[in-house]
Amino acid sequence: MEKKERTKGVLSSILWTALAFQLCAVPDARGQFYDGGATYDITEDSGYAFIDGEGTVVNLHATIANAIYVCHFGAPGATLNFFDDARAGLIYADTGSYVNIYGGSVDVWVSVSTGTEVTIYGEQFVVVDAAGTHEYDPGTMLSTANAVLTAYDGWGEVLFNGRISCVEGAYVSLASENVESGGLDVQIDVKPGSNSNVINSRSRGKVAVAVLSDATFDATQLLPETVNFAGAGVAQNKKGKYMAHAEDVDDDGNDDMVLHFRTNELELEDGIITVTLTGQINGEAISGTDNVRVL
């Protein structure tokens, strides 16, 4: 029986792979390249999309009939924002890529490599795999080799539907769709300089979080008094001064904003979770997320 199940799984994988190659073999498909660190708002359909390079952002509101490749050519740091009017045959999220899925559909699968940040937004998630049907809430880290995921909004309407395929060690983050409406989406780094985002919830110390700047966004303008991270405000010293400073933590030539929070004030649950930071810059709301392991 076990041998039969393994054979069935192998055949299923072969069939899905064959379908993927067939979908990508349309002879007259048009391909577009997006790079150079620019932001592109895509509203016209095409056959393929190749997104590469630090700071390159593609906001997709169209159909890419065959495949989208993010950081496929070894130039990390590109972002794909996939909205509710977007559709694709496949999405390949390669190492160093950022993929935010707010809605839409993928016909074959979203392929997730290690070293990526893939986030799917919704208020409720239903996953169907070989073991059955599972329901998840925002904040879940999902790692699956082959499962169909449906994301719903707060009214039970479908936001996104597609098959997810993670290589070993890779995962997708399931996050609340309300993060998108929190204003400008920014990059944050919990415990900058550390290879692991581990937080000991029983610690009496502090957790550093960096809000990252880029060529078009100056994180040092962030007002510490408006910041909330996992339910806590920025820590203050004995003189009432906010514990925040400018520092280029990612060595890109732009000063970032580093903020410190008291660990015992954070509202965290044990396990691998997604944490959110919100705040304001010049009256505009910003929000960013990162993944941490809470002990």
Side-chain angles (χ1 to χ4, degrees):
M1 181 66 179
E2 183 179 349
K3 181 177 180 181
K4 183 182 293 184
E5 289 298 321
R6 287 201 302 268
T7 303
K8 182 179 178 181
V10 171
L11 289 174
S12 175
S13 178
I14 292 172
L15 287 172
W16 277 109
T17 303
L19 178 58
F21 278 111
Q22 182 178 9
L23 186 63
C24 293
V26 179
D28 60 349
R30 294 173 293 120
Q32 299 290 333
F33 288 81
Y34 305 99
D35 55 17
T39 297
Y40 302 86
D41 294 310
I42 309 303
T43 58
E44 293 186 3
D45 299 347
S46 65
Y48 295 88
F50 301 90
I51 307 168
D52 273 275
E54 180 71 34
T56 300
V57 177
V58 167
N59 299 315
L60 185 64
H61 298 273
T63 295
I64 306 298
N66 297 311
I68 303 172
Y69 296 88
V70 188
C71 298
H72 185 65
F73 295 105
T79 298
L80 167 65
N81 293 320
F82 196 87
F83 292 99
D84 57 0
D85 49 357
R87 181 178 178 181
L90 304 97
I91 297 176
Y92 288 100
D94 286 315
T95 299
S97 63
Y98 302 92
V99 177
N100 300 304
I101 299 177
Y102 299 106
S105 63
V106 174
D107 296 334
V108 180
W109 64 50
V110 180
S111 176
V112 183
S113 298
T114 55
T116 65
E117 291 189 19
V118 177
T119 305
I120 302 175
Y121 291 92
E123 295 303 321
Q124 186 67 37
F125 303 89
V126 175
V127 173
V128 179
D129 58 18
T133 301
H134 319 275
E135 294 186 3
Y136 297 100
D137 293 323
T140 300
M141 310 293 291
L142 177 67
S143 181
T144 175
N146 186 0
V148 175
L149 182 146
T150 304
Y152 297 89
D153 64 16
W155 294 271
E157 298 293 329
V158 174
L159 291 171
F160 169 78
N161 180 261
R163 186 174 296 273
I164 308 298
S165 177
C166 302
V167 303
E168 184 176 356
Y171 56 83
V172 298
S173 301
L174 307 182
S176 171
E177 63 174 326
N178 291 326
V179 172
E180 181 190 8
S181 61
L184 180 65
D185 190 15
V186 301
Q187 297 291 329
I188 69 171
D189 185 9
V190 176
K191 303 183 73 172
S194 172
N195 292 326
S196 62
N197 293 351
V198 177
I199 297 177
N200 183 350
S201 60
R202 291 173 290 279
S203 169
R204 305 296 294 180
K206 300 179 185 68
V207 175
V209 181
V211 181
L212 305 182
S213 298
D214 59 29
T216 60
F217 172 70
D218 184 4
T220 64
Q221 299 301 306
L222 181 62
L223 300 175
E225 62 268 28
T226 68
V227 173
N228 182 287
F229 173 69
V234 178
Q236 300 179 48
N237 62 19
K238 293 181 179 180
K239 295 183 178 180
K241 183 178 179 180
Y242 288 104
M243 302 181 72
H245 68 277
E247 179 184 351
D248 184 8
V249 300
D250 55 359
D251 296 323
D252 67 349
N254 300 303
D255 279 343
D256 310 300
M257 177 65 91
V258 181
L259 309 155
H260 297 268
F261 302 85
R262 300 188 190 281
T263 306
N264 61 0
E265 295 179 359
L266 301 176
E267 299 174 2
L268 302 171
E269 296 180 358
D270 289 350
I272 299 176
I273 63 172
T274 300
V275 287
T276 301
L277 180 145
T278 60
Q280 289 188 10
I281 292 181
N282 299 323
E284 181 178 10
I286 63 100
S287 65
T289 61
D290 199 0
N291 302 317
V292 300
R293 182 186 295 275
V294 182
L295 304 178

